Amino acid sequence: MPPMDLAPQCGRYLSFHEREEIAILKAQGIGVRETARRLGRDPSTVSRELRRNAATRGGRLDYRASVAQWKADLVARRPKTAKLAANGRLRDYVQERLSGQVSRPDGAALGPEGTGWKGRNKPHRGDRQWVMAWSPEQIANRLKADFPDDDSMRISHEAIYQALFIEGRGALKRELVACLRTGRALRVPRARSKRTSWAHVTPEVLISERPAEAEDRAVPGHWEGDLLIGLERSAIGTLVERTTRFTVLVHLPRQDGYGIVPRTKNGPPLAGYGAVTMKDALAATVGTLPGQLWRSLTWDRGKELSAHAQFTIETGVPVYFADPHSPWQRGTNENTNGLLRQYFPKGTDLSRWAAEDIQAVAATLNSRPRKSLGWKTPAEALNDHLLSMT
């Protein structure tokens, strides 16, 4: 028998000492659950150990610690040859179910040609080639029905995913990921898939918690905000006071290094409206108007204002977020954004405009008479409210 590795392993795996204890307790007739309790292990761990690593010489399943340790070391050796790489018949079956051509009864191929796989996700709003596109789970379970007596034709769906996504497995071509329904080039980590889109919106900042005085527009100082998004991740912040419709535009210039420093995962947001940048820009804007005009701010659910708690601490302005997919809860801001699109159309680069330029546009809107204000301008309505406060 080859030498065994008796070095202590991490707590995930049974050690040689634990295997000796299992052998002694089994010889004494102690059950699996009692053995697991004494070792501090799960009963299924002990049961699986007795089933997998028992000695079979002599035709009996006798458990010996030395043989069990040798078997465990043998199975744990890495790297292993992938099952799809070693079994050509199985590999062809899997590949055919993933990428098989959709065709007419006469065998003629159907569907668009599609674009070639470029190592990225499926093409956005583009044709994809028509293929059979069985999922790995469908393939793994169908094998049992198609080959009920052939144990060599067995594979788990996870092994198929690994053959597709892990570099160097050498079993399936990397471009076959385009045949999966998602078409994604990389797997989504479990932690990322469980991440909520609006984790920064807690119950205490929902719009339902906003003061009731903000609803009837009788008291000025309640604002609505959002972003105007342009080409190449450019943006302008928009703030509108609910009572007077007075508009303030927030300049969000590019950060140093944008277009030069390559985009990196979890790197600094250089486009100009990251959480910290947005918070600082809004805080600076609050300081340009009297404090009595800032009672609350209602924002869309964008992540750009995920630092709202720090913003409230610095400015004293509470922030509330609208409900999902409910733009009418910020109707004043949505209407104003529509007016601003006359000056900043969709599909244009908004970063080319300086702060003076966008302030001129804001002044233009604020000097335009509004029917809702009795044909006063927002600037006049705001001035009247300021005079009434003095």
Side-chain angles (χ1 to χ4, degrees):
M1 182 182 296
M4 297 178 296
D5 183 11
L6 302 182
Q9 297 179 335
C10 68
R12 178 182 176 186
Y13 304 101
L14 290 172
S15 65
F16 181 66
H17 173 71
E18 288 176 310
R19 289 190 169 94
E20 284 184 323
E21 290 293 325
I22 292 174
I24 293 173
L25 294 175
K26 186 176 185 303
Q28 294 174 354
I30 304 298
V32 169
R33 292 190 175 276
E34 178 62 21
T35 300
R37 188 188 65 79
R38 296 187 184 184
L39 292 177
R41 292 283 186 174
D42 192 271
S44 62
T45 301
V46 177
S47 175
R48 186 165 52 246
E49 172 68 16
L50 292 172
R51 184 176 68 254
R52 287 180 177 178
N53 295 332
T56 57
R57 184 173 295 179
R60 297 193 311 172
L61 294 177
D62 294 330
Y63 185 82
R64 300 173 185 172
S66 58
V67 175
Q69 186 67 38
W70 169 70
K71 283 189 172 183
D73 293 341
L74 190 66
V75 172
R77 288 179 182 175
R78 296 293 186 273
K80 287 184 176 181
T81 303
K83 193 169 186 179
L84 288 175
N87 189 335
R89 182 172 168 228
L90 179 61
R91 181 176 64 253
D92 293 342
Y93 181 95
V94 172
Q95 188 163 311
E96 172 62 25
R97 269 67 188 174
L98 280 172
S99 61
Q101 181 69 46
V102 176
S103 58
R104 294 193 182 96
D106 60 2
L110 291 175
E113 294 183 2
T115 58
W117 190 71
K118 300 178 180 179
R120 297 188 292 271
N121 287 354
K122 60 187 177 185
H124 179 62
R125 295 182 180 179
D127 287 332
R128 296 179 66 185
Q129 188 177 3
W130 289 7
V131 293
M132 293 183 66
W134 285 24
S135 71
E137 185 179 14
Q138 290 171 334
I139 295 173
N141 286 279
R142 184 65 187 184
L143 278 166
K144 302 172 185 178
D146 290 347
F147 305 95
D149 302 321
D150 190 351
D151 291 340
S152 66
M153 296 294 287
R154 297 286 186 274
I155 192 170
S156 68
H157 64 278
E158 179 61 29
I160 299 176
Y161 277 120
Q162 290 188 8
L164 289 171
F165 286 108
I166 297 179
E167 192 73 25
R169 297 291 287 184
L172 297 175
K173 295 179 180 179
R174 185 74 172 86
E175 55 265 30
L176 288 180
V177 297
C179 298
L180 298 175
R181 293 190 187 107
T182 61
R184 64 170 61 98
L186 296 173
R187 297 187 78 173
V188 178
R190 186 174 300 173
R192 193 190 309 169
S193 65
K194 292 182 178 179
R195 190 182 304 164
T196 57
S197 300
W198 299 309
H200 61 290
V201 181
T202 53
E204 59 270 15
V205 296
L206 293 176
I207 193 171
S208 58
E209 301 298 319
R210 189 174 66 176
E213 66 181 23
E215 293 296 328
D216 58 11
R217 303 176 187 266
V219 179
H222 297 283
W223 297 74
E224 297 176 4
D226 197 6
L227 290 181
L228 277 181
I229 302 297
L231 199 64
E232 299 294 332
R233 299 177 61 82
S234 57
I236 295 174
T238 64
L239 295 171
V240 186
E241 204 281 312
R242 285 174 53 82
T243 302
T244 63
R245 278 66 169 179
F246 188 83
T247 301
V248 176
L249 298 184
V250 183
H251 187 226
L252 299 172
R254 305 285 198 200
Q255 300 296 299
D256 294 338
Y258 182 84
I260 301 174
V261 178
R263 293 180 62 186
T264 56
K265 181 179 179 181
N266 296 328
L270 303 179
Y273 52 97
V276 176
T277 306
M278 193 71 207
K279 182 261 298 181
D280 293 340
L282 285 178
T285 302
V286 168
T288 62
L289 291 173
Q292 61 266 33
L293 285 179
W294 293 98
R295 301 178 185 272
S296 74
L297 172 61
T298 304
W299 201 264
D300 194 9
R301 292 209 161 200
K303 283 292 186 70
E304 66 273 2
L305 206 56
S306 56
H308 61 88
Q310 186 64 31
F311 169 78
T312 300
I313 292 173
E314 294 179 4
T315 63
V317 181
V319 178
Y320 301 96
F321 291 92
D323 294 328
H325 316 299
S326 303
W328 58 87
Q329 294 179 342
R330 301 170 23 267
T332 304
N333 183 245
E334 291 290 337
N335 179 275
T336 303
N337 286 349
L339 300 178
L340 288 168
R341 283 301 184 185
Q342 177 182 353
Y343 304 94
F344 308 113
K346 292 182 179 181
T348 60
D349 185 2
L350 305 184
S351 65
R352 56 185 168 150
W353 305 115
E356 295 79 9
D357 299 327
I358 66 173
Q359 297 311 323
V361 173
T364 301
L365 284 188
N366 292 331
S367 60
R368 181 185 297 177
R370 302 291 185 90
K371 182 178 180 180
S372 60
L373 299 176
W375 303 112
K376 288 185 178 181
T377 68
E380 291 171 344
L382 183 68
N383 187 60
D384 291 344
H385 277 291
L386 289 176
L387 292 177
S388 66
M389 293 178 182
T390 56

